[in-house]
Amino acid sequence: MSVREADVPVRTPYRLDLTAAVLRRLSTNAVDTFDGTTYRRLLGVPAAPTLLAVTQSAPGQLRVRLEGPQARALDPAAIVRRMLGTEVSLAAFDAGARRIPWLAPLAKAARGVKPPRYPSLWETVVNAVVYQQVSIHAAGAILRRVVERYAPLREVAGVALRAFVPAETILAAEPPELRALGLSINKVLSLKAVARAILSGELDEPTLDRLSTPDLLAALTAHKGIGPWTAAVIGLRGFARLDLFPMNDSGAAAAFRRLSGDANLAPEPILDALAPQQGMLYYHLLMDRLADRGEIRLAGRTPVTSV
């Protein structure tokens, strides 16, 4: 079995634990795992995946290990640069957050988090569509059932994980089977339509990546099942467009009201103050919820057991 290891420098401050947490969303994530020290996932097709293992070996360095059939062909630095935001500067967000009294303490406690990015357009779209109009926990449970149904448990280097479900698998799956896992019929049809578009080349990630943010949103919303909110989530989580904040997100809106302490506070002036990196607020609101649940540790935060 091929093995490739590399030490990859990161732009400091950097925290692997928080970056992995906002990538994963929930500790029940069946694909992306973090045990407090090492972030792991399988890359490639479920039948012959390659294990990615990342640890933070120093404040400015990650240790990356690839083990499996594609280990020698993959670039460790490119993988963590994309997925774990190793080279992103958040100076604009940090400067804006310091001027917002209720956000400044959270931003300070979470300093070092970087914007993650899913490893493929397909995985990005599936996550965005599944999380439409349901709670974070309901969506996480549905996605976990989908992964467990179609991605077999694989052991690589003594670690048992599941790779993400390929587009071909969802395209071939019968709609009643997908419905039984908790997906609505509209989401089933959307995922199948996007799978066809990606496999045919109609939706091409490199082409989309070259577009301006407004053009990217327009290209995405031209496809069935991708509305403005979903397109913004895809842009933020799949293309690292930090100038996007997914509006009308119920979970983010609740966290925004609770964190600010003002149920009537309009988000637009806050987003303007954080531009052009207002998308990082989305991740900070997620971290606020995860800290309240005790899933991550932030200085000065005490978990709220009732959340």
Side-chain angles (χ1 to χ4, degrees):
M1 183 175 292
S2 298
V3 175
R4 185 174 184 180
E5 293 183 305
D7 291 315
V8 179
V10 300
R11 183 187 291 267
T12 57
Y14 190 91
R15 285 185 61 176
L16 175 62
D17 61 333
L18 296 184
T19 304
V22 294
L23 173 64
R24 299 175 68 209
R25 275 197 177 106
L26 294 170
S27 58
T28 53
N29 188 312
V31 174
D32 299 283
T33 69
F34 184 73
D35 62 7
T37 300
T38 306
Y39 165 73
R40 295 182 178 90
R41 71 164 289 152
L42 297 179
L43 299 172
V45 297
T50 295
L51 174 66
L52 168 69
V54 184
T55 58
Q56 187 159 5
S57 50
Q61 181 174 281
L62 297 180
R63 181 68 174 171
V64 183
R65 179 181 174 90
L66 292 162
E67 189 163 350
Q70 294 180 296
R72 303 304 302 175
L74 296 173
D75 181 349
I79 290 171
V80 296
R81 181 169 58 245
R82 175 190 173 116
M83 292 186 61
L84 300 174
T86 55
E87 297 181 359
V88 178
S89 169
L90 296 174
F93 175 82
D94 291 339
R98 284 195 294 269
R99 298 192 294 267
I100 302 171
W102 54 265
L103 178 59
L106 174 60
K108 182 179 179 180
R111 191 162 166 77
V113 67
K114 299 291 184 177
R117 183 177 175 183
Y118 290 114
S120 70
L121 175 61
W122 167 245
E123 188 168 338
T124 305
V125 174
V126 173
N127 273 270
V129 169
V130 171
Y131 275 79
Q132 289 171 345
Q133 299 178 325
V134 293
S135 74
I136 185 174
H137 300 288
I142 292 169
L143 192 54
R144 185 182 181 92
R145 287 196 291 271
V146 171
V147 170
E148 290 178 342
R149 170 65 181 83
Y150 296 110
L153 200 63
R154 298 292 183 189
E155 185 172 306
V156 181
V159 179
L161 292 170
R162 297 178 193 271
F164 197 76
V165 183
E168 293 89 344
T169 300
I170 296 300
L171 190 57
E174 293 296 331
E177 197 172 75
L178 293 168
R179 292 279 290 115
L181 299 173
L183 291 167
S184 68
I185 187 58
N186 285 337
K187 291 183 181 181
V188 170
L189 296 175
S190 296
L191 291 178
K192 285 182 173 289
V194 170
R196 282 191 291 270
I198 289 176
L199 292 173
S200 70
E202 182 184 354
L203 264 177
D204 177 66
E205 184 172 351
T207 300
L208 293 172
D209 210 7
R210 290 191 291 269
L211 299 177
S212 67
T213 296
D215 288 345
L216 171 64
L217 296 178
L220 290 170
T221 53
H223 290 267
K224 179 180 177 59
I226 301 180
W229 178 88
T230 305
V233 171
I234 294 169
L236 177 61
R237 284 187 162 270
F239 292 89
R241 300 298 175 91
L242 295 184
D243 55 342
L244 290 173
F245 181 89
M247 300 295 287
N248 302 319
D249 184 291
S250 59
F256 181 85
R257 291 191 298 268
R258 180 167 58 83
L259 186 61
S260 68
D262 185 349
N264 299 311
L265 181 63
E268 288 79 7
I270 302 299
L271 299 180
D272 288 343
L274 298 172
Q277 295 186 323
Q278 60 267 40
M280 284 305 299
L281 177 61
Y282 190 77
Y283 292 127
H284 280 70
L285 295 176
L286 173 57
M287 285 187 291
D288 179 62
R289 285 180 280 171
L290 295 177
D292 277 346
R293 292 181 58 84
E295 293 198 22
I296 62 173
R297 292 184 179 182
L298 294 176
R301 297 301 309 275
T302 301
V304 179
T305 56
S306 61
V307 174

